[in-house]
Amino acid sequence: MTDIWPTELRVSKDRRVLNVTFNDGRAFPLPAEMMRVLSPSAEVQGHGPGQKVTVPGKRNVGIGSVTPAGNYAVRIGFDDGHNSGIFTWRYLRELGEDGERLFADYERELAEKGLSRDPRR
């Protein structure tokens, strides 16, 4: 997978989707909510085994910024203030290929914990 990299990163007009096209021609729409709740940041993943956080209330989150991080990743800033996730090309590809399953797992975690995708009012 090290020879896979994006040739285009494009944020949708409504700021809710990052469209990623890779050098092998595969393209994936990555919803902002999915990227936010599955962020590779320590804030979400924790600093060790068993520390992963289930992040509720992000149904309406948008993409605020996409900033290059070297030649291997981008830092995605979300409009809720979260901006510490460094999304490697490999992780973006994983989200594209396996995001539906990963997001379904997240939704099960929410249900098990009595949490919601909807923001608190």
Side-chain angles (χ1 to χ4, degrees):
M1 175 99 73
T2 58
D3 57 346
I4 299 293
W5 64 88
T7 57
E8 181 179 35
L9 299 170
R10 187 173 23 91
V11 178
S12 64
K13 288 183 182 184
D14 67 1
R15 319 258 338 142
R16 302 278 186 240
V17 176
L18 177 66
N19 293 289
V20 182
T21 303
F22 288 90
N23 64 320
D24 64 354
R26 299 274 319 265
F28 303 96
L30 302 178
E33 180 188 12
M34 178 183 71
M35 291 188 300
R36 172 62 178 91
V37 302
L38 298 175
S39 172
S41 70
E43 178 183 325
V44 174
Q45 299 301 322
H47 293 280
Q51 293 184 351
K52 186 173 184 217
V53 175
T54 304
V55 181
K58 299 301 177 185
R59 183 185 301 270
N60 300 321
V61 74
I63 298 166
S65 64
V66 178
T67 308
N71 62 1
Y72 69 97
V74 289
R75 177 185 302 269
I76 299 177
F78 298 91
D79 62 9
D80 67 351
H82 178 75
N83 67 358
S84 59
I86 304 290
F87 290 76
T88 64
W89 306 149
R90 179 182 299 257
Y91 191 56
L92 289 175
R93 182 64 175 242
E94 180 182 341
L95 290 176
E97 292 178 344
D98 209 19
E100 286 184 31
R101 181 190 62 78
L102 295 168
F103 195 76
D105 291 346
Y106 160 75
E107 288 182 300
R108 274 191 292 283
E109 289 174 23
L110 284 176
E112 289 169 3
K113 295 177 179 182
L115 300 171
S116 172
R117 291 175 55 201
D118 294 313
R120 287 186 169 171
R121 297 182 193 257

